């Protein structure tokens, strides 16, 4: 497993195939090995693409990082640094759920290394955003409040990164409890649906830099976590954007959540996106 050391942070990654460079990012704190993602990378490699899969900070075998205005922005900065480190050149940046947010922020802040941007399952709406604050931050904040950093490393949410990168244990334990709690407060506030921003952390200046081809898959009307209104707002509010229907039915997110115990992954159908993604890239990016 290759690991890039970027400013003292370990980022685990894997490359598939050769050709036009792409990077795929899942949601949650899932790793590059989550079901559906390697299969999607292999399918794209068969279509003449070089595909980067990576473990974001706080995921898998990469380092934990507690800094910055939001976790998504920390991960976006890490992705940009990794693309530059690997010298991939202009890359098609794509992802779903939390990965769509990281992809969007990466592209907006690094247009020089972004050939195109593709997103699906974009989190939004009041319930959708508030549940992100609860999911990503509340368990750690609660543990730190009541038991310090020793309690934080005992919660289920961090066992994968502790096993995948043993140095993360010391990263946790060396962090001041009050500093960690301040980060959790800041990261939770980043998800607050308190203004009219299209996506948390995306500024008007960021939007102005998004001049590359963009593909947005419309979310299901039944999806409370990634609202259809959010995907449609991005489709209308970003330049050079195509809003298209996904290759699954309206209940896809709900069905994947219900079946996750049997399938092991929310993302098992992501390989179905490959034909639309490659057709769009050949038609738009290939013509630039």
């Amino acid at each position: 497993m290759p690991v890039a050391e970027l400013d003292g942070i370990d980022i685990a990654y894997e490359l598939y195939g050769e050709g036009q460079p792409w990077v795929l990012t899942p949601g949650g704190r899932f790793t590059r090995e989550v079901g559906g993602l390697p299969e999607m990378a292999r399918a794209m490699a068969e279509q003449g693409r070089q595909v980067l899969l990576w473990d974001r900070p706080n995921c898998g075998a990469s380092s934990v990082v507690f800094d910055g205005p939001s976790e998504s922005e920390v991960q976006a900065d890490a992705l940009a640094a990794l693309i530059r480190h690997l010298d991939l050149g202009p890359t098609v940046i794509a992802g779903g759920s939390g990965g769509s947010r990281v992809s969007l922020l990466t592209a907006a802040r690094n247009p020089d290394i972004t050939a195109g941007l593709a997103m699906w399952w974009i989190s939004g709406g009041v319930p959708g955003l508030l549940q992100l604050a609860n999911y990503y931050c509340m368990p750690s904040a609660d543990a730190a409040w009541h038991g310090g950093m020793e309690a934080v490393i005992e919660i289920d949410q961090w066992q994968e990164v502790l096993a995948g990168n043993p140095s993360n244990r010391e990263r946790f334990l060396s962090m001041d409890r009050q500093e960690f709690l301040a980060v959790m407060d800041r990261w939770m506030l980043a998800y607050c649906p308190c203004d009219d921003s299209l996506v948390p952390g995306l500024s008007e200046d960021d939007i102005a830099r998004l001049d590359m081809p963009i593909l947005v898959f419309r979310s299901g009307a039944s999806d409370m976590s990634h609202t259809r209104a959010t995907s449609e707002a991005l489709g209308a509010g970003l330049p050079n954007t195509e809003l298209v229907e996904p290759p699954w039915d309206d209940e896809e997110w709900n069905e994947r959540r219900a079946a996750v115990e049997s399938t092991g992954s929310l993302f098992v159908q992501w390989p179905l996106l490959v034909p639309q993604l490659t057709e769009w890239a050949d038609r738009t990016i290939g013509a630039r």
Side-chain angles (χ1 to χ4, degrees):
M1 173 193 64
V3 176
E5 184 176 332
L6 308 172
D7 295 325
I9 299 170
D10 294 334
I11 300 294
Y13 69 92
E14 193 168 0
L15 286 167
Y16 293 74
E18 298 180 355
Q20 182 187 57
W22 285 64
V23 58
L24 303 177
T25 304
R29 288 206 176 102
F30 293 100
T31 76
R32 69 192 187 284
E33 298 174 337
V34 65
L37 202 64
E39 293 83 355
M40 186 177 181
R42 286 192 286 268
M44 298 195 74
E46 291 174 359
Q47 298 295 319
R49 325 288 155 155
Q50 182 182 47
V51 182
L52 168 64
L53 301 186
W54 66 303
D55 285 345
R56 292 156 289 161
N58 304 340
C59 304
S62 291
S63 298
V64 293
V65 179
F66 300 103
D67 197 0
S70 73
E71 187 171 20
S72 297
E73 290 173 79
V74 167
Q75 294 174 348
D77 289 344
L79 177 54
L82 180 60
I83 291 171
R84 296 182 199 280
H85 173 79
L86 297 174
D87 198 24
L88 295 181
T91 299
V92 184
I93 300 177
S97 197
S100 66
R101 188 168 54 255
V102 172
S103 298
L104 177 57
L105 293 171
T106 304
R109 298 173 187 198
N110 302 274
D112 60 308
I113 58 169
T114 306
L117 170 64
M119 299 174 287
W120 53 96
W121 286 358
I122 305 149
S123 300
V126 173
L129 293 176
L130 291 181
Q131 71 182 356
L132 294 181
N134 183 65
Y135 171 77
Y136 285 114
C137 302
M138 277 302 298
S140 294
D142 182 70
W145 265 106
H146 296 103
M149 297 309 295
E150 292 81 4
V152 174
I153 63 172
E154 295 300 323
I155 66 175
D156 291 344
Q157 193 172 67
W158 297 118
Q159 298 314 301
E160 191 167 42
V161 296
L162 290 168
N165 189 333
S167 67
N168 281 330
R169 180 181 179 86
E170 182 56 32
R171 286 179 178 270
F172 274 110
L173 295 178
S174 65
M175 191 163 189
D176 177 76
R177 170 182 173 272
Q178 288 303 127
E179 181 183 349
F180 181 80
L181 285 169
V183 172
M184 291 299 100
D185 285 352
R186 188 165 67 246
W187 284 9
M188 281 191 277
L189 282 172
Y191 293 117
C192 179
C194 302
D195 56 35
D196 295 328
S197 60
L198 292 172
V199 167
L202 187 72
S203 69
E204 291 298 323
D205 288 341
D206 290 333
I207 293 173
R209 289 189 290 269
L210 288 165
D211 64 349
M212 68 288 296
I214 300 172
L215 185 67
V216 173
F217 288 90
R218 193 192 313 270
S219 293
S222 64
D223 189 343
M224 183 185 74
S225 299
H226 320 96
T227 64
R228 171 164 286 187
T230 302
S231 62
E232 291 178 339
L234 281 172
L238 299 179
N240 303 319
T241 299
E242 294 182 31
L243 180 67
V244 299
E245 299 299 328
W248 43 63
D249 65 30
D250 185 80
E251 290 283 343
E252 174 67 11
W253 171 252
N254 298 325
E255 290 171 356
R256 296 286 69 74
R257 286 186 64 190
V260 71
E261 289 189 8
S262 59
T263 64
S265 175
L266 294 166
F267 314 125
V268 292
Q269 297 221 89
W270 280 17
L272 297 177
L273 294 163
V274 171
Q276 285 172 274
L277 288 168
T278 53
E279 185 280 330
W280 161 77
D282 289 343
R283 175 169 45 80
T284 60
I285 301 166
R288 296 188 92 203

